[in-house]
Amino acid sequence: MFGREKNKLYSDDSKTVVSTLIGKETVFDGDLTSGEALRIDGVVNGNCKCEKKLILSPDGKIKGNISAQSVIISGEVDGDITVTGKLELLSSGKIAGDIVAGSLVIDEGASFDGRCTMASVSSSPSYSSSED
């Protein structure tokens, strides 16, 4: 009974089970890598690399580059995004950076400031980090 409910707490509407959650009051400084689905409700100051789906909630913020298989953005991103599959920018989402994606969905009301390249991306997503 409790095991089933636990998995439902951290899933989006497509039933993706999220294994890592950065909570609403959490600030993470540094690069973040996940082999499973990742949901960010807090703030990440660094690059995010996710081998599966990355979900950024309306309260979430990322200041860094994102690399993932698929991405859903409801919060704010200040950085470049590379997605092998689909990138969804929901109405509350804001992106300031360039996008490379296999497919892109932008809802009415969303904000995007950058360039977009629709391309087939290699199966192992990567990002380049700049030296400060």
Side-chain angles (χ1 to χ4, degrees):
M1 179 169 123
F2 293 112
R4 290 185 207 148
E5 292 300 315
K6 182 178 179 183
N7 286 339
K8 289 181 182 179
L9 290 175
Y10 303 116
S11 64
D12 66 357
D13 52 12
S14 66
K15 306 298 182 212
T16 299
V17 177
V18 176
S19 64
T20 303
L21 172 69
I22 304 296
K24 187 175 180 178
E25 299 297 320
T26 303
V27 176
F28 183 91
D29 292 320
D31 293 344
L32 181 61
T33 302
S34 176
E36 297 295 325
L38 171 65
R39 179 180 171 112
I40 299 171
D41 294 344
V43 177
V44 174
N45 295 311
N47 298 320
C48 296
K49 183 176 181 181
C50 183
E51 292 183 20
K52 295 191 179 176
K53 182 179 280 188
L54 185 142
I55 302 164
L56 184 64
S57 76
D59 296 319
K61 294 181 183 180
I62 297 174
K63 187 170 184 176
N65 299 328
I66 297 172
S67 177
Q69 183 180 45
S70 64
V71 176
I72 299 173
I73 304 290
S74 297
E76 297 180 27
V77 176
D78 184 6
D80 298 339
I81 302 174
T82 302
V83 182
T84 56
K86 180 165 71 171
L87 169 64
E88 295 180 64
L89 181 57
L90 304 182
S91 62
S92 61
K94 297 177 183 175
I95 298 174
D98 296 339
I99 295 171
V100 177
S103 65
L104 176 66
V105 176
I106 300 178
D107 285 352
E108 184 176 349
S111 173
F112 169 53
D113 181 15
R115 294 181 303 168
C116 179
T117 303
M118 302 296 293
S120 178
V121 183
S122 67
S123 60
S124 58
S126 64
Y127 55 83
S128 60
S129 60
S130 61
E131 306 256 341
D132 292 329

